[in-house]
Amino acid sequence: MSETEEIVRIAAKGDGVTQSGRHIAGAVTGDTVTPDGSIEAGPHQVTPPCRHFGKCGGCQLQHADEAALMQFVTDRVVNAARGQEIEIGEVLPTHLSPARSRRRATLHALKARKGAVVGFREARSNRIVDMQQCEILDPRLFALVAPLRKLVASHAERTPVDVSLTLADQGIDCSIKGIEADGLAATEALLDFARDHSLARLSLDQGFGPEVVWEPEPVTISLGEVPVGLPQGAFLQPTTDGEEVLLADAKRWLAGASTVADLFSGLGTFAFALAGSAKVLAAEAARDAHLACNSAANSRGIAVHAMHRDLFRNPLQATEISKFSSVLLDPPRAGAREQVAQIAASEIERVVYVSCNPSSWARDAKTLIDAGFKLEALRPVGQFRWSTHVELTSYFTR
């Protein structure tokens, strides 16, 4: 490079990008890159708040200030739409979840010669960063890291251990894979661990799936103020504030709808929030999530009809969709190509599409646009703060 270049944006994987298209690791919008390749900090470069940043793979953008983070999340979503030549009616304000707000995470652990290490893995590596600080986890989850380190040091073999943590209504739901509870002493130690730290549930996976060893009362997660049984490994929105934004958009856009088809409904995150003013079909392929949703709806007489259906292999057909006044879908990262094709072929006029992958969403959105829909509104959402993982809500009308 023969001259100084300015970083004009942050790329999808977190590198800074110059006007000429060069990718510079560790740079953010507004930085300059000198001819020798060094980075001169600009107005949006800040000191990362976590001592592990740069090594831990949990965050990629702690060196970017709030404005740069907002712009990154916004650009990822808006550019995905523009890449498909989709006209956007309104881009709503981007939502970023605050620090220390993640309510679920999977940590990794390994017994060492002296003690154990517990944390996230390094970027592009299986090595574990021994977590002494975390700026993304809810403090209640982070408080369990040190006790977990002692548990692994005392009762694990020198093989990998995975620990899934989720904040439920009753406290922390903890599932451990890689520790074998052989003998009375090990079993008592695990029960003491659960009791001493007031866990809502402790499960062990010894190669045959999670088995509950401690659950004083049935574990639930409240969705739309409805307590729903929380199956092992069930999907939840990563932050409560992010979930509230998604729900508020969906409720506003579907106001007045008498019937809603909630597709890829999971435990009923959207279904229970919408059921106060509409009858809702909640279609989900995961049996445990479907049963939990169905049980919660039936036990409280809520107008949610839970349907067990694989919408990838057997999407709701256009004739079925046309019976509803509106559709909401929140598919996995791969999107919903087959289901969206049926929505496009139906007579439905309102669609709310929530996505965790702007690329697959844009592909599906193009299908709706080609079928006569208009993208009325689009909101970028960054629930995974300081991460390159981006989400969105969108509203289509025809």
Side-chain angles (χ1 to χ4, degrees):
M1 184 175 68
S2 59
E3 59 183 28
T4 298
E5 288 191 272
E6 182 177 351
I7 300 297
V8 296
R9 64 183 179 88
I10 301 174
K13 294 185 179 180
D15 292 341
V17 183
T18 67
Q19 187 68 49
S20 64
R22 294 181 62 218
H23 285 236
I24 308 295
V28 300
T29 308
D31 291 351
T32 54
V33 184
T34 63
D36 65 3
S38 60
I39 300 170
E40 293 183 354
H44 299 296
Q45 179 87 233
V46 295
T47 301
C50 181
R51 73 185 78 175
H52 301 303
F53 180 70
K55 187 176 183 181
C56 175
C59 296
Q60 295 81 46
L61 295 170
Q62 283 194 8
H63 58 309
D65 71 0
E66 197 79 359
L69 284 174
M70 282 278 195
Q71 194 61 54
F72 168 76
V73 174
T74 303
D75 288 348
R76 284 285 312 281
V77 172
V78 171
N79 289 341
R82 289 175 177 165
Q84 293 286 352
E85 299 182 344
I86 297 172
E87 182 179 342
I88 306 169
E90 180 183 11
V91 179
L92 300 173
T94 296
H95 175 80
L96 288 183
S97 291
R100 303 182 181 184
S101 62
R102 282 272 298 277
R103 64 175 173 178
R104 62 177 176 86
T106 297
L107 304 179
H108 308 287
L110 191 65
K111 186 173 184 176
R113 290 184 179 180
K114 295 182 180 180
V117 294
V118 177
F120 292 115
R121 290 196 178 101
E122 295 181 14
R124 296 176 293 278
S125 171
N126 285 326
R127 289 192 298 270
I128 300 167
V129 176
D130 194 23
M131 185 184 286
Q132 305 298 324
Q133 177 184 0
C134 187
E135 296 299 312
I136 58 172
L137 291 182
D138 184 291
R140 289 168 288 181
L141 297 185
F142 179 71
L144 204 58
V145 171
L148 280 167
R149 193 177 286 114
K150 293 180 180 179
L151 183 72
V152 171
S154 300
H155 297 285
E157 301 296 330
R158 291 187 179 240
T159 53
V161 176
D162 292 333
V163 183
S164 296
L165 303 175
T166 302
L167 277 175
D169 293 338
Q170 294 76 17
I172 297 175
D173 178 20
C174 177
S175 181
I176 302 175
K177 182 177 182 179
I179 291 181
E180 295 185 6
D182 287 337
L184 181 61
T187 300
E188 289 181 341
L190 288 166
L191 293 175
D192 288 342
F193 173 78
R195 186 182 302 109
D196 292 346
H197 300 289
S198 302
L199 297 186
R201 179 167 61 196
L202 176 63
S203 307
L204 282 187
D205 185 343
Q206 302 182 75
F208 303 98
E211 297 180 10
V212 175
V213 297
W214 170 268
E215 189 177 14
E217 59 180 296
V219 175
T220 61
I221 189 74
S222 290
L223 303 173
E225 300 182 355
V226 177
V228 180
L230 182 61
Q232 302 278 356
F235 173 79
L236 290 178
Q237 294 296 334
T239 66
T240 53
D241 69 278
E243 180 176 275
E244 288 169 0
V245 170
L246 305 185
L247 292 176
D249 282 349
K251 291 167 75 173
R252 184 174 68 258
W253 291 332
L254 297 179
S258 58
T259 54
V260 178
D262 179 6
L263 309 180
F264 308 95
S265 59
L267 294 171
T269 300
F270 293 97
F272 289 115
L274 296 169
S277 57
K279 294 181 180 179
V280 182
L281 170 72
E284 170 59 40
R287 183 173 292 277
D288 285 350
H290 155 71
L291 291 174
C293 176
N294 187 57
S295 177
N298 289 343
S299 64
R300 291 165 179 80
I302 299 172
V304 171
H305 173 70
M307 172 187 286
H308 183 232
R309 185 155 171 172
D310 186 338
L311 298 174
F312 290 107
R313 298 182 179 181
N314 183 24
L316 243 64
Q317 298 300 297
T319 53
E320 297 175 283
I321 294 167
S322 297
K323 297 176 182 178
F324 294 87
S325 60
S326 54
V327 167
L328 181 146
L329 65 160
D330 181 14
R333 287 187 60 79
R337 187 195 302 268
E338 295 81 5
Q339 185 60 79
V340 167
Q342 293 299 321
I343 294 172
S346 75
E347 298 175 5
I348 208 81
E349 295 181 352
R350 280 199 284 179
V351 175
V352 172
Y353 192 148
V354 180
S355 173
C356 60
N357 184 350
S359 296
S360 61
W361 167 84
R363 178 203 68 208
D364 291 343
K366 186 64 164 61
T367 300
L368 295 177
I369 297 299
D370 290 345
F373 282 91
K374 176 184 177 182
L375 177 55
E376 299 282 358
L378 179 63
R379 186 191 301 276
V381 178
Q383 292 196 72
F384 291 88
R385 186 177 184 84
W386 295 310
S387 163
T388 55
H389 187 83
V390 173
E391 296 159 305
L392 62 92
T393 60
S394 59
Y395 177 45
F396 299 84
T397 63
R398 177 164 56 182

